[in-house]
Amino acid sequence: MGHGGGHEIGGHKVAYFAGLAFNMDTLYMTWLTMAIVIILAVLATRRLSLVPSGWQNALEMVILALLEQIEAAMGPKGKKLAPLLITLFLFLLVANELGLVPGFTSPTNDLNTTLGLALLVIAVVHVAGAANKGLFNYLKHFLEPNVLFLPINIIEEVSKPVTLSFRLFGNILAGEILIIILGILVPYVIPTAWLAFSVFVGIVQAFIFTILSMSYISNALKDDHH
């Protein structure tokens, strides 16, 4: 969904390869997002100084705030996963805001992207849990407090990536749709105000997705005390 004329809201440019469908606009915007994150990281770390300024200062503030959240939510064991979670936040932050630039779209306005990220998080949850507690002990928690709760525990696990992905997808897509509609109905003033609000929403949604990811992983890393 672009900001120019003639674009279908929520539509994608689809290409087919080996019987599979690919949303090419989502792929292009995902690659662009990755490139921007890498460039920001390079700019921030190119000339490191004891008294940070510019990009280094901005990125350090974000990373330090995230490290505090990771330590508070996940404890010392979470430090190993800090690079993944920080990269996830930066990717989401750039991806969410990209669609606010005329002619661009957010890769997170595509459910394929948000669901893929959510499934990645859940995969990390289970791998970290099995590595921390042992495979048998980790799988045993699906039977707690007793075997009758197995279906409920499985439904809970399935619902995690669904809620994670749909929350982010819905908020970003809705924001971009409203910008286009307001731009048509009431040009200039209201769309500009909503654009500013959408910047805030993009930051909040990246933060919520990352915090929920931390919460899920921290539960897997907790030691069982009997």
Side-chain angles (χ1 to χ4, degrees), residues 108-187:
T108 44
N109 80 5
D110 187 338
L111 186 57
N112 294 295
T113 302
T114 59
L115 185 57
L117 291 170
L119 289 173
L120 169 66
V121 169
I122 298 306
V124 171
V125 168
H126 294 310
V127 171
N132 182 56
K133 301 175 182 179
L135 182 59
F136 178 75
N137 285 332
Y138 178 69
L139 292 177
K140 196 168 65 174
H141 89 275
F142 285 102
L143 303 176
E144 294 175 351
N146 61 61
V147 71
L148 294 176
F149 280 77
L150 177 62
I152 296 173
N153 289 331
I154 291 175
I155 291 170
E156 181 186 3
E157 289 302 314
V158 171
S159 71
K160 286 177 182 177
V162 173
T163 54
L164 258 184
S165 57
F166 272 89
R167 182 187 295 108
L168 179 59
F169 160 72
N171 278 284
I172 300 305
L173 181 62
E176 292 188 10
I177 289 173
L178 277 171
I179 287 174
I180 291 174
I181 293 173
L182 290 171
I184 295 170
L185 297 178
V186 194

Side-chain angles (χ1 to χ4, degrees), residues 40-57:
L40 288 175
V42 170
L43 287 174
T45 57
R46 187 175 53 177
R47 295 177 182 173
L48 294 175
S49 60
L50 291 175
V51 182
S53 60
W55 286 111
Q56 183 188 347
N57 188 43

